[in-house]
Amino acid sequence: MQIRWVLKWLSLAFSPLLALGIITAPAPSKLVVLQHGLYGSATNLRVLEDALQALAPTDVLVYAARASEGTLTRDGISRGGVRLAHEIEALAQCHASLCSLCIVGNSLGGLYARYAAATLFDEEAGTMAGLIPDAFITIGCPHLGVRRFTFAPLPALLHRLGGLVAGRTANELLLRDGRDRQQPLLLQMSGGRFARALSAFRRRRLYANLVGDFMVPFGTAAIEADAWGAGIGDERAAKQFIHRPCSVTVDTGILGGRGSGVGMLLDVAPSSSIATPQNGDLEGVMAVQLNSCGWTKVVCRFQGASTWMPMAHNKLAALRREGWRRVFEWIEQAHEGAPVMQHLANFIIGVELDGVHGRDSQVHVTEPNQACP
């Protein structure tokens, strides 16, 4: 808090000099793009935006994407991804000082971000819009779609109604868009140029709710197809997952539901794995191919969220809203995710702290009982 007041005072003190041209502000070198999710707006990731600006007010240009706000998110992942790519290109052209690119996608925004990265990727130069790919981060993103990962199991017949809820986007998330021998878009996005674009980033990290996420259960958010399915069964699967080899336990209390925030980290090393569909298991194929890029998986949990109160999704991003919709922030207690967003901001800027709250905490490394993946 004291640092913020000092920065604000310095800004007021030097603003007349900047206006007169006596001194010049440092030009930003890192571009951080924040992409909201379904029916979202540029306001949604304000908590993360503020945290980033407090850590690096001059060297980082933080931009909240706004080309796909509201009902535009109904028109499909590819169209949203292309719009995001155009925004990034425009920013890179307007700010010649920019060198590196970080993309953060919340929920559906993570899929937009993956599509945009592939659209922008120059494989020969290894750049995106002329920038060096630095960090790619998703927050509660349905990487594997939601066909298997609705909160409660739904019969395939009801999947046909998805279009009423979210248009073409829903059909793509339910893997219902593959026609005329064409693969569903999400399956296409797990390999080929999409995987190469993901692998081009120096760092990849995802944040996922271990339990209590009605919108995006853990299996699809954490790219974990085995043993995971409908969100209603996440608590049972979590009991085994928290003992995963090579995981780092940040807070056992959080993993046990006695606290809120980051409970565990899991590093999945890059590999050359390639999978083919077996008995229609498209989710399994996508998981193998996406995990081959290598990820750090950040496992989160919120004390007030559970199978019977599955309201963790918007807590994860500390989602902000405008106008009368702010009442939903109070209902969801979305502010509980602010420490998680601080954890993410620290990662982007390169400030690694022990513990999500920015204080010293004991970190435990789980001893592997088999070879790490």
Side-chain angles (χ1 to χ4, degrees), residues 74 158-171 174 176:
R74 293 173 53 92
L158 290 182
H159 289 178
R160 299 180 182 179
L161 303 178
L164 298 176
V165 178
R168 176 179 174 178
T169 301
N171 288 328
L174 289 164
R176 287 179 46 80

Side-chain angles (χ1 to χ4, degrees), residues 166-182:
R168 176 179 174 178
T169 301
N171 288 328
E172 290 172 349
L173 290 172
L174 289 164
L175 310 183
R176 287 179 46 80
D177 58 314
R179 295 192 183 123
D180 301 325
R181 297 183 181 178
Q182 188 175 28

Side-chain angles (χ1 to χ4, degrees), residues 44-45 47-48 106 139 313-320 334 337 341:
N44 290 164
L45 295 176
V47 172
L48 175 58
N106 178 51
I139 308 166
H313 187 66
N314 289 330
K315 292 177 188 285
L316 193 59
L319 200 81
R320 296 292 300 273
M341 290 301 94

Side-chain angles (χ1 to χ4, degrees), residues 70-142:
T71 56
L72 278 176
T73 55
R74 293 173 53 92
D75 69 357
I77 295 165
S78 59
R79 292 177 183 176
V82 168
R83 287 192 292 266
L84 176 59
H86 289 334
E87 288 187 274
I88 293 172
E89 285 177 321
L91 288 164
Q93 291 172 5
C94 289
H95 300 272
S97 63
L98 292 173
C99 297
S100 64
L101 172 66
C102 297
I103 310 179
V104 181
N106 178 51
S107 198
L108 173 66
L111 298 177
Y112 280 7
R114 281 172 46 196
Y115 198 97
T119 301
L120 295 170
F121 187 41
D122 182 334
E123 296 196 43
E124 188 172 324
T127 59
M128 295 177 186
L131 306 178
I132 299 169
D134 178 28
F136 184 91
I137 304 106
T138 62
I139 308 166
C141 170

Side-chain angles (χ1 to χ4, degrees), residues 259-275:
S260 299
V262 172
M264 170 181 157
L265 304 177
L266 176 66
D267 280 321
V268 176
S271 70
S272 56
S273 299
I274 298 175

